[in-house]
Amino acid sequence: MTKLPAGPGRATAPGRVNLLRWAADRGPASRQTVRGPAGAAKMVPVTGVYLEAGKKRVFACAVDWPGWCRSGRGEEQALAALATAASRYAVLAALASIPFDPVAEVDCIEIAETVTGSSATDFGALDVAPAVDAEPVTARQAERLAVLVQTAWDYFEETAAASEPVLRTGPRGGGRDRDQIIEHVHETEVLHARMLGLKERPFPARDTAALARVRAGILAGVRAGAVSGAPDDLGRSRRPARFVARRTAWHAIDHAWEIQDKQP
């Protein structure tokens, strides 16, 4: 048993047990019986998480919560960052009208799978789909994924619109300002569309019609489960629809939080 450290968004109550169990068939909707210090049995939600492990960076991603992904220099740091970000992710879930308890979701985290990352992983981007993403998705599950992706986009756009144009720089004076981040997020949607096999091309900055078209195509692909089969069978550039939903939402949320954290 490995206990996650306490931090923002991470509350610990008497008798609550934090577990990191290695399993391959659990998810947020599952439950597991655990016993507290007094020996009383209780049911707790189990959150399935997979790790994308590069040589220099590791991502921890909630399998069924698109966008709830954080990274660290190692597995423990990535898992701690994921737990810490639960309260921030709860804001997004609330906007999507999907119940999400940030305390319960990190109470019992199970590692569903570990995949070997790539150079993109070490650069700081999700890149390798886990095998669990090849599992069939029902129409209801696909709609839930699409709603969370759309909410992530809306959250980013609203955050950017409310931001000052000039943001605080990093410790070495680097970093992008608001408009550069906006352009980067919009440009990257073409990559996400291509991961679904859509033949989209880069479009000029501020071309809202092109952005809307590309995003509509992504949502259609996610709803249809456009890419099926094991990740290894899809080719170099393709990814399962579940992975595309996760990466797209993560990218928008990550940069929304960046803008929030760099306010002057």
Side-chain angles (χ1 to χ4, degrees):
M1 182 192 305
T2 304
K3 291 190 176 182
L4 293 175
R10 175 77 192 109
T12 303
R16 201 175 286 276
V17 181
N18 305 321
L19 303 175
L20 290 178
R21 295 184 184 276
W22 296 87
D25 59 350
R26 298 298 185 94
S30 63
R31 296 290 186 272
Q32 180 165 314
T33 302
V34 299
R35 295 186 180 276
K42 62 186 299 184
M43 300 298 288
V44 297
V46 177
T47 302
V49 170
Y50 78 91
L51 303 175
E52 181 179 323
K55 295 179 179 179
K56 300 178 181 179
R57 184 186 296 266
V58 176
F59 276 93
C61 304
V63 174
D64 292 319
W65 289 105
W68 189 22
C69 309
R70 303 312 290 163
S71 69
R73 293 188 178 276
E75 174 184 324
E76 293 298 324
Q77 287 187 345
L79 288 166
L82 185 74
T84 298
S87 59
R88 296 185 89 171
Y89 188 83
V91 174
L92 183 90
L95 291 172
S97 299
I98 298 176
F100 180 91
D101 183 336
V103 174
E105 290 294 339
V106 299
D107 248 355
C108 193
I109 290 177
E110 289 188 349
I111 307 303
E113 187 177 347
T114 299
V115 298
T116 301
S118 65
S119 58
T121 311
D122 289 330
F123 184 73
L126 292 175
D127 188 47
V128 182
V132 68
D133 282 349
E135 295 178 359
V137 177
T138 67
R140 183 175 181 179
Q141 291 170 330
E143 180 61 26
R144 176 181 174 278
L145 295 177
V147 168
L148 285 167
V149 170
Q150 181 64 66
T151 304
W153 285 333
D154 293 342
Y155 184 68
F156 171 79
E157 300 298 341
E158 291 169 7
T159 298
S163 168
E164 295 292 333
V166 178
L167 304 177
R168 288 189 296 107
T169 58
R172 295 183 177 87
R176 291 174 284 208
D177 284 326
R178 181 199 63 187
D179 290 351
Q180 292 173 308
I181 294 174
I182 293 173
E183 290 181 10
H184 167 68
V185 170
H186 292 177
E187 290 170 353
T188 306
E189 305 299 8
V190 172
L191 170 64
H192 298 147
R194 289 176 175 176
M195 285 181 173
L196 287 168
L198 303 176
K199 300 184 183 301
E200 292 290 352
R201 294 181 177 277
F203 50 83
R206 305 299 183 182
D207 187 339
T208 56
L211 176 64
R213 184 192 69 246
V214 172
R215 284 181 167 174
I218 293 172
L219 289 180
V222 170
R223 287 190 169 101
V227 180
S228 61
D232 290 343
D233 297 335
L234 297 175
R236 184 179 181 86
S237 63
R238 302 279 290 277
R239 301 291 188 278
R242 290 177 70 183
F243 178 84
V244 177
R246 183 182 306 114
R247 193 192 194 282
T248 303
W250 160 77
H251 195 244
I253 295 168
D254 187 61
H255 284 296
W257 290 350
E258 177 190 3
I259 290 173
Q260 291 172 355
D261 293 342
K262 291 172 63 178
Q263 288 302 298

